């Protein structure tokens, strides 16, 4: 139980294009999902908290117009990197908080490379 | 406010030896504590968690951790390391009033020598 999927697992795009990453909780409902970014050999950096049916809460320094988050259902949150640039290349990881519990379950991550 | 400190960014042990990964936390309210493992190019997998029940917590793959309030610690141990334990390990803290938001330590890379 408590499986979280991400799609795609890897994406390569040209500079200036937008990329959408999906995060799904497969066997549980998640009122809250989180989006992280991870640089090589570093810990996870929280980008934003996504709540079903409401606007996402972004961490300080994260551009909300660049990283659009939508949490339209209790099992799906999406992160869209708009007008991607090479500096946006990174490993993006989502997690889902099982409703009523305190444990985050993580997706397998999405490797984004912007050329 | 909450924080987590993992002592040692890199730990190396021999196969069959004891694994000890250190984690100290700071929290103004009773904490919930977690250990996650990350293999290369993968997401994080929950190893174990402490949420105010038993202070000695057993997790997957033979790992366990003990919550020590007096020492503000939650160290991760395993009696005998396997080669497959080589990975990055993260300690994290949250609390009842944090909306599930985790504060992560910087991570400890565990290497296992044959």
């Amino acid at each position: 139980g408590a499986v979280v999927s991400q799609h795609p697992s890897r994406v390569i795009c040209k500079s200036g294009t937008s990329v959408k990453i999906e995060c799904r909780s497969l066997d549980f409902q998640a009122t809250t999902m989180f989006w992280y970014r991870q640089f090589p050999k570093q810990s996870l950096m929280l980008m934003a908290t996504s709540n079903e049916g409401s606007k996402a809460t972004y961490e300080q320094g994260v551009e909300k117009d660049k990283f659009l988050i939508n949490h339209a259902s209790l099992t799906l949150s999406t992160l869209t990197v708009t007008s991607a640039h090479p500096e946006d290349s990174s490993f993006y990881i989502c997690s889902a908080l099982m409703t009523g519990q305190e444990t985050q379950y993580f997706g397998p991550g999405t490797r984004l490379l912007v050329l | 406010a909450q924080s987590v400190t993992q002592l040692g960014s890199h730990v190396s042990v021999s196969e069959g030896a004891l694994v000890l990964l250190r984690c100290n936390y700071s929290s103004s309210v009773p904490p919930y504590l977690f250990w996650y493992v990350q293999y290369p190019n993968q997401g994080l997998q929950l190893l174990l968690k402490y949420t105010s029940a038993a202070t000695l917590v057993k997790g997957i793959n033979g790992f366990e951790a003990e919550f020590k309030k007096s020492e503000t610690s939650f160290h991760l141990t395993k009696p005998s390391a396997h080669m497959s334990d080589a990975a990055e390990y993260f300690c994290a803290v949250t609390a009842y009033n944090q909306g599930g938001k985790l504060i992560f330590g910087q991570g400890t890379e565990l290497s296992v020598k044959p």
Side-chain angles (χ1 to χ4, degrees), chain A residues 38 43 59 103-104 107-108 111, chain B residues 36 38 41 43 49 100-101 105:
Chain A
Q38 187 179 33
S43 188
E59 295 299 303
T103 303
Q104 288 187 31
R111 177 75 60 190
Chain B
Y36 287 91
Q38 184 180 33
N41 296 308
K49 63 180 179 181
K101 189 174 175 178

Side-chain angles (χ1 to χ4, degrees), chain B residues 1-3 25-31 95-98:
Chain B
Q2 296 184 308
S3 67
Y25 70 92
S26 172
S27 181
S28 56
V29 296
Y96 73 93
N97 59 353
Q98 298 299 307

